[in-house]
């Protein structure tokens, strides 16, 4: 009630706003209801009128229009349709109307339903753009199959006669496979409508054999008419047609014996009622593709070339196997290098190269056909399994009066075909046969006639024949002969400019003009020409015998081209101004004659004879002009021989003669000679008899009117080699520092080159232990001497060591290399001067050292004696413990405890009484030390203080502390016992003396302080009795006894200086201790050895 009352009490402005909002909502509600009512009235009116006018055409001539009937109209309702198409036309009909194609533009169509519930008229505007072109579904006329090639053949009619004008048509063809209608191919095919019914064909090769499964085909089309502006749509699909195979009991696997292109893909299937277990191609297993029923297939991709027997494909079932063979290869290549020619103008031979192998053999191999287009004739190629040189050929018979031929060579196999063409004028493609029946006939000694046979009919063309002429050791010569062709095919040719009595070899080849190809060479025909008179006399030289009485004439056999026949004999004669002497004829094998002549001038003539006649005479003078300026020179090989040069001599009228021989041969020296024209200044001597490493002598003669003069004498090698032996050397003289070596020359035969020098090696080494390992000049232990003066035959090796073995090696060398080595071991003589010096020097050094040592020892004799041999007192003579009671009275004869210059005035000797007899250290009390009188009472030991008077010192010693200390010095002894018993009476000694028999301690230095005394007393409890003259080394004062410090009475501890022997003033050697003080001057040292004592 409280809430209600509060609401009622709200301001009135809120209520006014609410009332205004409610009024506005009510107005909108009224408007909505009114709009819905109006829309319902419109829809109800539309439902009572025709609506949704649609027009289609399937032939571009008639439009088929339809609309949606008004609501309430029965099945047979009638309509009145009126339209304008040039004239006003109305039709009474049911639901749809077929109109002729209207003209372009908008047309009004009125549709009035004729029924009882109202008169509602619908008006539509119709244009061609609103019409759809939908052709009727096409019909397949025929579907066939070629199972051998897996090809489908489709045939259908386009019904072009129903269309008013030409139009482009796109056909869509689909191929389906198996029962599930799997689309395997969807292609388009373009045609044109031409106003007539046209039957179209289409073929398709299936990738799967058609026997494997059922194939279905359907088509539809689309008309692309540019004159029609409406919508264009695809027709409906035609009814499907299928192709299936009726299996038989024979074949199970498809395809059978298929020929494929290498690299292709193929599907092989097996049609069977049994379950297939596996499939393989060759030895490779393939996955199975399941088809309808139990049929299976395999897909083989990128197949390789098959062998000649093909590739096997096998399907295995439970108890059987099925298979097929696949042949993979290539289509025929274009025939390469097609050439057509003739050998004899009777038959044409066409050859070609088949190109790439096809890998197909037998009935699948490539077949060739040669077709000639002008005559229309063809020739088939009869295959040869193994063609010659990888080339095929066909023979085509020439046609009369036809010279130009147009050939086409066609190659075909199951995978394709190729061809090659050739247009040829056969008269320009003549390749003659080999000439046969070659014969030779003499004309003269320098000319012959050749005849040969050439098969063929060449009467209408020219022939060019080539004759090859060969003779021994000569360049081949070619001669061309042009001639007209003849029918009988026999030809003749003359060959001149030949040499007499020479063996020639002839062979012939021919070609046609214009040139195409040479025939092959005929067989060789060998022929010897007839003899003629020798054209030149023999090459002659002469030598005097070693005794100078006979002249030996030499001549060389005439070459074949100069002899002109077989030389039978030689005629040698000599003539002078007075007479002519002729010798008997010398038969041919002999080329030397000897004549006894005097030293007069003779002319020697030599004539060669054969069966035809004699040669011109060869003349040579017997006289030899001397030359006094002749020098022997050297020459070496250049190129293939030895180059010899000389200066031009105008006096040489006929020629130069170069004679050479082996230098090791005896006189007369002659191996061969060579004549050079008089205008020459050099020549190269070549000979097959030259050998490397052999020295030859060369002599250059100039021919003058009076005879021959020797111009140059040369020795040379065609090739230098290294010597074969080492020089033979000996040792001529040996000294302590040198060796003289002498060697002999190497013989020329063993030198094998010009000697350029010797290499002499030497090193230290014994015969049995040393070997010259490597003869290298770089080694420091091997000395090398290069001797380039070849005339030198001795060598002295200096700067050697005496009585030393040396290894000597000698080698000779040429430009051809280093010769072998010869070695020798030599020992040098002993050096006596050095030995004497080696002995005298050590003796002199020893004497000098001895003298210097003696002088030093003499000067330092006292120091040496005191340092190394001091006077050691005899303990038996010691009087230190033989004191009398009146010792304090002083006795000048007692010097035992004298310490100069330090003179203590009090000595206190303490002795500890214990159960074990021990000797206690003695403390020397300085006179300045204060000793309380009751100090003896404080010590647990009993001791007695006795007075001691030191002996009288002659020197006057100043002691500033003596005055303060009081009178004379005292020595305090307590029960001192010596190992030598004193001569005192026994009754005078104390009764209870525990130290009887203890040792003597004359120089024990004890510290004055009580702390030191206590420590000394504790340490001495465990010590054994005995003589300890220098036990406490820590209290030594390393100063000289002469030091002023020893007399210092103000010192807290008065020291005796260094521990001393009782009769020695020198410092005794202390033990080595790191804590011991170092000496300041006293004692033994090396520097004292060279010093003098002041009191020496």
């Amino acid at each position: 009630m409280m809430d209600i009352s509060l609401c009622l009490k709200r301001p009135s402005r809120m209520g006014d706003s609410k009332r205004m909002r409610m009024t506005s909502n009510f107005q909108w509600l009224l408007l909505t209801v009114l709009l819905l009512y109006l829309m319902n009235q419109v829809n109800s009116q539309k439902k009572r009128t025709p609506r949704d006018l649609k027009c289609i055409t399937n032939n571009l001539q008639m439009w088929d229009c339809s609309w949606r009937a008004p609501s309430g109209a029965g099945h047979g309702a009638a309509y009145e349709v009126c339209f304008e198409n040039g004239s006003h036309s109305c039709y009474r009909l049911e639901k749809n109307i077929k109109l002729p194609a209207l003209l372009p533009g908008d047309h009004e169509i009125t549709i009035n339903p004729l029924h009882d519930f109202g008169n509602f008229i619908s008006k539509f505007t119709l244009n061609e753009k609103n019409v759809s072109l939908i052709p009727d579904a096409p019909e397949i006329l025929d579907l066939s199959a070629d199972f051998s090639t897996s090809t489908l053949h489709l045939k259908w009619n386009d019904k072009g006669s129903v269309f008013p004008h030409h139009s482009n048509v796109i056909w869509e063809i689909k191929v389906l496979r198996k029962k599930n209608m799997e689309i395997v191919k969807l292609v388009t095919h373009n045609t044109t409508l031409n106003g007539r019914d046209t039957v179209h064909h289409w073929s398709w090769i299936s990738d799967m054999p058609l026997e494997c499964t059922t194939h279905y085909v359907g088509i539809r089309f689309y008309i692309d008419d540019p004159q029609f502006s409406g919508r264009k749509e695809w027709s409906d699909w035609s009814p499907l047609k299928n192709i299936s195979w009726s299996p038989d009991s024979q074949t199970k696997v498809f395809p059978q014996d298929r020929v494929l292109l290498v690299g292709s893909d193929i599907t092989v299937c097996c049609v069977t009622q049994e379950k297939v277990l596996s499939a393989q191609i060759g030895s490779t297993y393939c996955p199975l593709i399941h088809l309808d029923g139990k049929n299976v297939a395999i897909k083989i991709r990128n197949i390789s070339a098959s062998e000649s027997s093909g590739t096997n494909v096998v399907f295995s079932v439970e108890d059987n196997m099925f298979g097929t063979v696949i042949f993979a290869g290539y289509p025929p290549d274009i025939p390469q290098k097609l050439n057509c020619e003739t050998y004899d103008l009777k038959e044409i031979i066409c050859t070609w190269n088949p190109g790439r192998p096809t890998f197909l053999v037998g009935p699948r191999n490539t077949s060739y056909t040669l077709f000639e287009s002008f005559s229309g004739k063809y020739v088939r190629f009869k295959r040869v399994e193994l063609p010659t040189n990888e080339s095929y050929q066909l023979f085509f018979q020439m046609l009369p009066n036809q010279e130009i031929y147009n050939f086409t060579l066609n190659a075909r196999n199951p995978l394709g075909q190729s061809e090659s063409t050739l247009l040829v004028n056969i008269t320009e493609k003549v390749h003659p046969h080999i000439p046969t029946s070659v014969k030779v006939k003499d004309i003269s000694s320098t000319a012959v006639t050749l005849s040969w046979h050439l098969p063929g009919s060449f009467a209408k063309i020219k022939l060019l024949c080539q004759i090859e002429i060969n003779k021994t050791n000569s360049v081949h010569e070619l001669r061309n002969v042009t001639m007209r062709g003849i029918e009988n095919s026999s030809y003749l040719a003359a060959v001149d400019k030949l040499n007499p009595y020479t063996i020639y070899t002839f062979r012939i080849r021919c070609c046609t003009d214009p040139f195409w190809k040479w025939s092959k060479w005929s067989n060789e025909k060998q022929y010897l020409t007839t003899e003629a008179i020798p054209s030149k006399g023999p090459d002659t030289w002469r030598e005097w015998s070693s005794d100078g009485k006979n002249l030996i004439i030499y001549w060389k056999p005439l070459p074949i081209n100069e002899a002109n026949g077989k030389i039978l004999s030689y005629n040698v004669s000599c003539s002078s101004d007075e007479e002519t002497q002729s010798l008997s004829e010398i038969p041919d094998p002999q080329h030397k004659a000897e004549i006894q002549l005097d030293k007069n001038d003779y002319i020697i003539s030599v004539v060669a004879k054969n069966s035809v006649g004699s040669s011109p005479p060869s003349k040579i003078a017997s006289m030899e002009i001397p030359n006094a300026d002749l020098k022997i020179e050297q020459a070496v090989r250049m190129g293939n021989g030895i180059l010899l040069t000389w200066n031009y001599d105008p006096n040489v009228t006929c020629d130069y003669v170069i004679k050479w021989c082996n230098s090791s041969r005896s006189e007369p020296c002659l191996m061969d000679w060579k004549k050079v024209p008089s205008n020459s200044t050099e020549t190269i001597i070549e000979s097959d008899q030259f050998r490397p490493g052999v020295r030859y002598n060369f002599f250059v003669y100039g021919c003058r009117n009076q005879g021959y003069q020797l111009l140059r004498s040369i020795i040379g090698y065609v090739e230098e080699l290294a010597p074969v032996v080492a020089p033979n050397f000996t040792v001529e003289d040996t000294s302590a520092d040198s060796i003289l070596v002498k060697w002999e020359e190497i013989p020329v035969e063993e030198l094998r080159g010009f000697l350029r020098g010797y290499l002499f090696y030497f090193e230290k080494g014994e015969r049995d232990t040393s070997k010259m390992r490597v003869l290298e000049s770089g080694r420091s232990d091997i000395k090398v001497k290069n001797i380039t003066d070849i005339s030198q035959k001795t060598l002295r090796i200096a700067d050697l060591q005496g009585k030393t073995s040396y290894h000597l090696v000698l080698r000779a060398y040429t430009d051809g290399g280093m010769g072998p080595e010869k070695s020798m071991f030599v020992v040098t003589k002993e050096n006596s001067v050095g030995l004497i010096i080696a002995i005298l020097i050590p003796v002199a050094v020893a004497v000098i050292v001895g003298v210097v040592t003696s002088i030093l020892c003499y000067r330092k004799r006292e120091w040496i004696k005191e340092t190394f041999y001091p006077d050691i007192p005899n303990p038996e003579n010691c009087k230190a413990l033989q004191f009398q009671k009146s010792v304090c009275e002083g006795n000048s004869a007692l010097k035992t405890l004298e310490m100069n210059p330090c003179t203590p005035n009090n000595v206190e000797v303490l002795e500890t009484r214990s159960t074990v007899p021990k000797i206690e250290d003695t403390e020397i009390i300085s006179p300045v030390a204060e000793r309380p009188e009751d100090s003896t009472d404080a010590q647990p030991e009993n001791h007695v203080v006795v007075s001691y008077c030191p002996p009288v010192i002659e020197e006057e010693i100043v002691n500033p502390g003596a005055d303060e200390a009081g009178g004379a010095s005292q020595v305090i002894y307590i029960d001192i016992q010596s190992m030598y018993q004193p001569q005192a009476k026994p009754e005078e000694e104390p009764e209870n003396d525990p130290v009887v028999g203890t040792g003597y301690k004359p120089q024990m230095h004890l510290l004055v302080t009580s702390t030191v005394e206590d420590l000394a007393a504790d340490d001495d409890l465990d010590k054994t009795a005995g003589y300890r003259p220098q036990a406490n080394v820590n209290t030594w004062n390393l100063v000289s006894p002469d030091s002023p410090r020893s007399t210092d009475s103000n010192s807290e501890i008065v020291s005796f200086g260094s521990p001393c022997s009782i009769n020695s003033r020198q410092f005794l050697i202390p033990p080595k201790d790191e804590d011991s003080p170092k000496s300041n001057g006293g004692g033994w040292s090396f520097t004292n050895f060279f010093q003098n004592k002041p009191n020496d």
Side-chain angles (χ1 to χ4, degrees):
M1 294 299 293
M2 293 289 294
D3 294 335
I4 295 174
S5 62
L6 290 174
C7 289
L8 294 176
K9 293 180 180 180
R10 289 181 177 179
S12 60
R13 188 175 61 180
M14 183 179 296
D16 295 340
S17 175
K18 184 174 182 182
R19 283 193 298 272
M20 291 177 65
R21 187 165 55 251
M22 291 178 64
T23 302
S24 176
N25 292 339
F26 179 74
Q27 292 176 355
W28 278 107
L29 179 61
L30 289 178
L31 290 175
T32 301
V33 172
L34 178 61
L35 180 60
L36 290 176
Y37 174 77
L38 293 176
M39 291 177 64
N40 186 32
Q41 291 297 322
V42 171
N43 290 334
S44 61
Q45 183 178 0
K46 286 184 178 180
K47 290 181 180 179
R48 292 192 295 271
T49 61
R51 61 186 184 275
D52 298 337
L53 178 66
K54 293 182 180 180
C55 297
I56 64 173
T57 180
N58 51 22
N59 55 15
L60 298 176
Q61 296 185 17
M62 296 298 295
W63 291 0
D64 188 1
C65 298
S66 63
W67 58 87
R68 182 180 296 182
S71 59
H75 177 66
Y79 300 90
E80 183 182 20
V81 179
C82 300
F83 62 91
E84 295 289 339
N85 188 18
S87 63
H88 183 76
S89 302
C90 293
Y91 299 93
R92 183 182 178 88
L93 44 79
E94 297 180 356
K95 192 170 183 179
N96 59 348
I97 182 174
K98 292 184 179 294
L99 303 175
L102 301 180
L103 296 174
D106 295 334
H107 301 275
E108 185 178 278
I109 297 180
T110 302
I111 301 176
N112 183 18
L114 300 177
H115 47 73
D116 299 337
F117 50 84
N119 188 11
F120 297 98
I121 300 175
S122 297
K123 292 183 179 181
F124 302 96
T125 300
L126 183 62
N127 193 308
E128 188 182 61
K129 296 180 180 180
N130 305 120
V131 180
S132 298
L133 174 59
I134 304 176
D136 292 335
E139 182 181 358
I140 297 176
L141 298 179
D142 183 55
L143 178 64
S144 60
D146 183 0
F147 289 98
S148 63
T149 60
S150 298
T151 304
L152 287 176
H153 299 286
L154 179 64
K155 184 168 65 173
W156 72 95
N157 192 335
D158 63 0
K159 297 181 181 180
S161 60
V162 303
F163 295 95
H165 47 264
H166 289 68
S167 300
N168 296 325
V169 181
I170 300 175
W171 299 88
E172 194 170 61
I173 306 171
K174 65 179 179 180
V175 181
L176 302 91
R177 183 182 293 165
K178 298 191 297 186
K179 293 180 180 180
N180 59 359
M181 297 298 178
E182 174 186 344
I183 297 179
V184 296
K185 191 69 174 179
L186 183 63
V187 296
T188 58
H189 182 73
N190 298 323
T191 62
T192 302
L193 298 175
N194 54 13
R196 300 188 303 271
D197 290 346
T198 304
V199 177
H200 298 283
H201 299 270
W202 176 79
S203 298
W204 173 71
I205 299 176
S206 174
D207 60 341
M208 179 182 293
L210 299 178
E211 298 90 345
C212 299
T213 185
T214 303
H215 288 72
Y216 304 87
V217 178
I219 61 174
R220 64 175 181 174
F221 70 104
Y222 173 90
I223 299 177
D224 186 14
D225 189 353
Q227 299 180 12
F228 180 71
S229 61
R231 294 188 299 274
K232 307 177 187 68
E233 298 182 11
W234 285 94
S235 69
D236 292 335
W237 287 100
S238 67
L240 295 177
K241 284 200 172 186
N242 65 77
I243 287 293
S244 61
W245 176 74
S246 299
D248 55 22
S249 59
Q250 298 295 328
T251 306
K252 298 291 184 180
V253 179
F254 303 96
Q256 284 290 318
D257 301 334
R258 177 64 60 85
V259 180
L260 297 175
L261 180 65
V262 173
S264 301
D265 299 340
I266 184 174
T267 301
V268 182
C269 67
C270 180
V271 179
T272 179
Q273 299 299 322
E274 304 178 59
K275 182 180 180 181
V276 177
L277 301 178
S278 64
Q280 65 186 77
I281 174 171
S283 59
T284 304
Y285 286 89
C286 302
L288 298 177
I289 302 173
H290 293 279
L291 304 175
D292 295 336
K294 294 185 179 181
N295 299 347
V296 296
I298 60 173
K299 187 75 172 181
I300 303 172
R301 300 183 183 277
N302 193 20
I303 190 168
S304 58
S306 303
E307 298 179 355
S308 58
S309 59
T311 303
N312 295 326
V313 179
V314 178
F315 291 87
S316 300
V317 296
E318 186 173 357
D319 56 354
N320 203 351
M321 297 176 64
F322 308 103
T324 184
V325 180
I326 297 175
F327 300 92
Y330 295 97
D333 200 358
I334 296 176
Q336 300 174 5
K337 299 180 181 179
L338 176 62
N339 178 44
C340 294
E341 60 186 16
T342 181
Y343 291 138
D344 51 9
L345 290 178
K346 296 178 180 180
E347 190 177 43
I348 299 175
I349 301 96
C350 292
T351 59
W352 69 92
N353 191 319
R356 178 187 59 191
T358 62
F359 295 97
L360 301 177
V361 297
R364 289 162 292 276
N365 209 336
T366 304
S367 63
Y368 293 92
T369 302
L370 182 65
F371 177 74
E372 204 284 308
S373 61
F374 294 153
S375 63
K377 295 184 177 181
Y378 64 89
V379 180
R380 294 188 183 276
F381 173 68
K382 295 181 179 180
R383 176 164 300 280
V384 178
E385 295 297 333
L386 296 175
T388 304
N389 296 328
E390 300 293 335
S391 179
Y392 298 160
Q393 64 181 9
L394 272 175
F395 294 91
F396 189 88
Q397 293 297 323
M398 289 185 60
L399 301 175
N401 299 323
Q402 183 176 345
E403 296 181 355
I404 299 176
Y405 294 83
N406 187 15
F407 291 109
T408 299
L409 181 65
N410 182 271
R412 182 188 301 271
N413 72 2
L415 295 178
Q417 65 178 359
S418 62
E419 65 179 24
S420 180
T421 60
L422 179 66
L423 181 65
V424 58
N425 185 348
I426 202 63
T427 59
E428 298 176 356
K429 300 288 184 179
V430 180
H431 184 193
H433 286 289
I434 301 175
T436 58
S437 302
V438 179
K439 297 179 182 179
V440 184
K441 186 178 181 181
D442 288 325
I443 298 177
S444 66
S445 61
T446 59
V448 295
T449 300
L450 290 179
S451 64
W452 66 92
H453 176 76
L454 186 64
S457 178
F458 305 111
K460 298 181 180 180
I461 60 175
K462 291 183 178 181
L463 291 178
L464 174 64
C465 292
Q466 196 171 67
I467 302 173
E468 183 185 71
I469 305 173
N470 297 328
K471 62 180 179 180
T472 307
N473 301 326
S474 178
V475 180
H476 297 180
E477 181 183 358
L478 295 176
R479 298 185 185 181
N480 295 330
V481 179
T482 303
M483 59 189 70
R484 293 289 302 179
I486 53 179
E487 292 294 335
N488 61 7
S489 304
S490 294
Y491 301 90
L492 296 174
V495 180
D496 57 0
K497 297 180 181 180
L498 303 178
N499 293 328
Y501 199 69
T502 303
I503 297 176
Y504 286 95
T505 300
F506 302 97
R507 63 176 185 169
I508 304 168
R509 65 178 181 178
C510 295
C511 69
T512 59
D513 188 15
F515 174 78
W516 167 240
K517 285 182 180 179
W518 285 108
S519 69
K520 294 183 180 180
W521 286 103
S522 67
N523 295 330
E524 293 182 348
K525 182 66 176 180
Q526 198 173 66
Y527 190 76
L528 176 64
T529 56
T530 58
E531 294 186 10
I533 298 174
S535 59
K536 189 177 180 181
D539 186 3
T540 308
W541 182 245
R542 84 287 181 275
E543 289 285 333
W544 286 96
S545 62
S546 58
D547 56 4
K549 296 181 179 180
N550 296 333
L551 183 68
I552 305 173
I553 298 97
Y554 300 93
W555 62 90
K556 295 179 181 180
L558 285 173
I560 296 177
N561 59 343
E562 295 177 357
N564 295 336
K566 184 178 180 180
I567 301 300
L568 302 178
S569 62
Y570 297 93
N571 188 5
V572 181
S573 62
C574 61
S575 62
S576 62
D577 296 337
E578 299 177 356
E579 60 178 353
T580 299
Q581 181 181 359
S582 178
L583 301 178
S584 61
E585 290 188 356
I586 299 173
D588 175 52
Q590 185 176 349
H591 302 105
K592 181 177 71 171
E594 188 171 351
I595 306 176
Q596 186 175 3
L597 297 174
D598 53 22
K599 294 300 181 179
N600 294 328
D601 187 12
Y602 292 91
I603 301 298
I604 310 300
S605 299
V606 180
V607 176
K609 294 183 178 181
N610 62 10
S611 60
V612 179
S614 299
S615 68
S618 294
K619 298 182 179 181
I620 186 171
S622 64
M623 180 178 291
E624 185 169 331
I625 303 173
N627 188 351
D629 299 332
L630 189 64
K631 295 181 180 180
I632 299 177
E633 304 174 21
Q634 294 181 355
V636 293
R637 177 177 181 174
M638 174 176 289
N640 297 325
I642 296 179
L643 176 64
L644 300 180
T645 60
W646 58 88
N647 296 326
Y648 175 75
D649 190 348
N651 297 323
V652 176
T653 56
C654 44
D655 53 24
Y656 292 96
V657 175
I658 294 90
K659 181 191 75 171
W660 65 88
C661 65
N662 191 328
S663 61
S664 61
R665 293 185 181 180
S666 60
E667 296 291 339
C669 173
L670 179 64
M671 178 182 292
D672 202 351
W673 71 91
K674 177 181 179 181
K675 290 186 177 180
V676 180
S678 59
N679 58 354
S680 300
T681 58
E682 65 178 24
T683 186
I684 295 178
I685 305 300
E686 299 177 353
S687 175
D688 295 336
Q689 298 178 358
F690 286 156
R691 296 292 179 266
V694 178
R695 179 180 293 184
Y696 297 95
N697 292 343
F698 298 88
F699 303 95
V700 180
Y701 291 89
C703 178
R704 304 175 185 271
N705 293 330
Q706 298 84 4
Y708 284 94
Q709 183 181 25
L710 180 60
L711 303 178
R712 295 187 65 188
S713 178
I714 303 169
I715 56 176
Y717 294 86
V718 293
E719 182 180 356
E720 292 189 77
L721 302 177
V724 295
V725 297
N728 186 17
F729 73 100
T730 57
V731 176
E732 295 294 318
D733 181 35
T734 303
S735 65
D737 61 349
S738 66
I739 298 174
L740 178 61
V741 179
K742 182 179 181 181
W743 59 89
E744 302 174 356
E745 290 186 355
I746 300 176
V748 173
E749 296 80 4
E750 298 174 343
L751 190 59
R752 306 200 302 175
F754 293 117
L755 180 65
R756 299 305 180 189
Y758 302 92
L759 284 181
F760 194 90
Y761 305 84
F762 61 96
E763 67 168 349
K764 295 180 181 179
E766 299 292 338
R767 181 181 299 274
D768 298 331
T769 60
S770 176
K771 290 185 178 180
M772 197 78 68
R773 295 180 296 271
V774 180
L775 298 179
E776 297 176 352
S777 60
R779 287 181 48 190
S780 59
D781 56 341
I782 297 179
K783 304 299 186 298
V784 182
K785 291 185 178 297
N786 186 8
I787 304 170
T788 57
D789 184 4
I790 60 175
S791 62
Q792 180 180 345
K793 296 297 182 291
T794 60
L795 175 66
R796 178 173 292 278
I797 308 170
D799 300 330
L800 303 180
Q801 296 181 3
K803 203 175 182 181
T804 303
S805 177
Y806 285 91
H807 184 194
L808 311 180
V809 176
L810 182 61
R811 305 175 72 181
Y813 62 91
T814 65
D815 289 338
M818 189 73 63
E821 64 182 55
K822 185 171 184 180
S823 62
M824 179 183 299
F825 290 88
V826 180
V827 180
T828 56
K829 295 181 180 180
E830 186 176 0
N831 191 347
S832 58
V833 176
L835 180 61
I836 295 173
I837 294 174
I839 295 174
L840 291 179
I841 289 177
V843 171
V845 170
V847 170
I848 293 172
V849 171
V851 171
V852 172
T853 304
S854 299
I855 294 172
L856 292 176
C857 290
Y858 178 77
R859 294 185 60 190
K860 293 292 183 177
R861 60 187 179 279
E862 293 297 334
W863 177 83
I864 293 173
K865 180 177 182 301
E866 291 179 2
T867 303
F868 296 100
Y869 303 101
D871 292 335
I872 304 228
N874 191 350
E876 295 179 355
N877 299 328
C878 181
K879 304 298 184 177
L881 300 181
Q882 296 180 6
F883 295 110
Q884 302 296 327
K885 292 182 180 180
S886 59
V887 68
C888 296
E889 297 177 359
N891 188 354
S892 61
L894 296 177
K895 301 287 185 177
T896 303
L897 296 179
E898 179 180 353
M899 302 295 291
N900 186 29
C902 178
T903 306
N905 55 3
N906 286 327
V907 176
E908 180 177 347
V909 180
L910 302 180
E911 183 178 10
T912 302
R913 299 183 182 273
S914 62
T915 57
V916 179
K918 293 181 64 177
I919 299 175
E920 300 296 335
D921 292 340
T922 302
E923 181 179 2
I924 302 174
I925 307 300
S926 174
V928 299
E930 297 181 358
R931 296 182 60 86
E933 295 179 357
D934 55 351
S935 61
T936 57
D937 297 335
Q939 298 296 330
E941 298 84 357
N942 296 323
H943 59 277
V944 179
V945 179
V946 290
S947 298
Y948 170 68
C949 292
V952 178
I953 306 302
E954 295 180 357
E955 292 181 3
E956 183 178 356
I957 301 174
V958 179
N959 191 350
D963 298 337
E964 298 177 2
S969 301
Q970 293 183 352
V971 178
I972 303 174
Y973 282 87
I974 302 175
D975 296 338
I976 296 177
Q977 296 290 333
S978 174
M979 58 185 298
Y980 300 99
Q981 295 296 329
Q983 296 178 0
K985 295 181 181 181
E987 60 270 11
E988 295 178 355
E989 295 177 1
E991 294 178 356
N992 298 326
D993 189 359
V995 294
V996 176
T998 58
Y1000 167 59
K1001 300 180 290 180
Q1003 298 181 24
M1004 303 304 292
H1005 182 189
L1006 302 179
L1007 295 177
V1008 177
T1009 61
S1010 60
T1011 305
V1012 177
E1013 293 175 358
D1014 295 341
L1015 293 174
D1018 294 337
D1019 294 338
D1020 291 337
L1021 292 177
D1022 297 331
K1023 293 181 180 179
T1024 308
Y1027 172 58
R1028 292 177 293 173
Q1030 300 179 28
N1032 194 356
V1033 297
N1034 292 328
T1035 61
W1036 295 353
N1037 187 10
L1038 302 181
V1039 294
S1040 174
D1042 298 334
S1043 174
R1045 188 179 171 185
S1046 62
T1047 59
D1048 189 3
S1049 60
N1050 294 329
S1051 177
E1052 183 178 2
I1053 300 175
V1054 179
S1055 174
F1056 293 116
S1058 62
C1060 309
S1061 172
I1062 58 176
N1063 291 322
S1064 175
R1065 294 181 300 167
Q1066 297 300 324
F1067 179 74
L1068 297 182
I1069 301 173
K1072 293 182 180 179
D1073 191 353
E1074 295 179 356
D1075 297 333
S1076 63
K1078 296 182 180 180
S1079 174
N1080 293 330
W1084 183 90
S1085 65
F1086 183 77
T1087 56
N1088 291 333
F1089 186 78
F1090 300 95
Q1091 295 179 2
N1092 292 326
K1093 292 292 182 178
N1095 56 354
D1096 286 347

